Amino acid sequence: ARRRSGWALDTGIDHAWTLDTGTLPVHDLALRGGYAFTQFEAHGREYSYQAHTVSVGASAQLPFGLGADLSGAYSYRPYRHASTYPDPPIPTNGSPYVLSGVRRREQTFVVEAVLSRPLGEELTLSARWRYVDNPSNRKVFDYQQQIVGLYLDFALGREL
């Protein structure tokens, strides 16, 4: 029941709008938004779901050759089957292991900020921050996560 491996089918639509910034020091300002649908079929019954995700973002070129990108997304993920994890309070030795039969539901909120600067034609240095909040009706799957990093990207055959 708990095998997470499986296959996924994603489909969606994204749209971007470029804005004229006039005489501002910011240029190549773009706003974007989208929707995606995901069908995930896990080998274990507990992890199969259908998800709906909406996303928004903005990017721009800043002075001194810096690029900025800010994005956010919200996903609603209702799982198709009840969880095999017990309801709180967690059972102790000798107490019954009772399951409620309630299907798992998660909502995921993601915010990401990136500041980047090209270092020649093939290298880009970027500082990134990502925050994820994943509340779930099954407490074992609740989590919050922050990732901060400094990245050096190397790309062949394309402009940065």
Side-chain angles (χ1 to χ4, degrees):
R2 294 187 179 171
R3 282 188 61 197
R4 294 180 187 191
S5 61
W7 61 269
L9 174 65
D10 291 307
T11 187
I13 186 167
D14 288 313
H15 189 72
W17 300 268
T18 55
L19 302 175
D20 182 16
T21 55
T23 60
L24 293 175
V26 173
H27 58 91
D28 295 337
L29 178 61
L31 302 177
R32 63 187 181 277
Y35 166 81
F37 173 79
T38 302
Q39 172 77 39
F40 183 72
E41 295 295 330
H43 291 117
R45 287 174 40 101
E46 184 162 348
Y47 292 96
S48 294
Y49 63 83
Q50 293 180 340
H52 303 273
T53 303
V54 292
S55 61
V56 295
S59 62
Q61 290 299 310
L62 305 176
F64 308 109
L66 294 173
D69 190 272
L70 181 63
S71 62
Y74 166 78
S75 294
Y76 175 66
R77 214 170 18 259
Y79 287 77
R80 289 209 318 259
H81 302 285
S83 177
T84 60
Y85 287 92
D87 294 324
I90 303 300
T92 58
N93 288 339
S95 64
Y97 186 93
V98 179
L99 299 176
S100 68
V102 173
R103 293 186 307 172
R104 183 170 139 208
R105 288 182 314 279
E106 293 180 356
Q107 300 179 72
T108 304
F109 304 89
V110 178
V111 177
E112 187 167 10
V114 179
L115 192 60
S116 61
R117 185 165 196 312
L119 303 174
E121 292 184 26
E122 297 173 338
L123 288 175
T124 301
L125 180 66
S126 61
R128 299 173 187 232
W129 171 76
R130 179 180 171 96
Y131 173 76
V132 179
D133 183 14
N134 190 82
S136 174
N137 67 335
R138 308 307 295 179
K139 294 300 178 198
V140 72
F141 296 105
D142 266 352
Y143 69 91
Q144 292 180 340
Q145 177 184 61
Q146 288 197 57
I147 301 171
V148 177
L150 192 61
Y151 298 84
L152 184 62
D153 295 313
F154 178 73
L156 291 175
R158 67 178 175 98
E159 291 185 33
L160 297 177

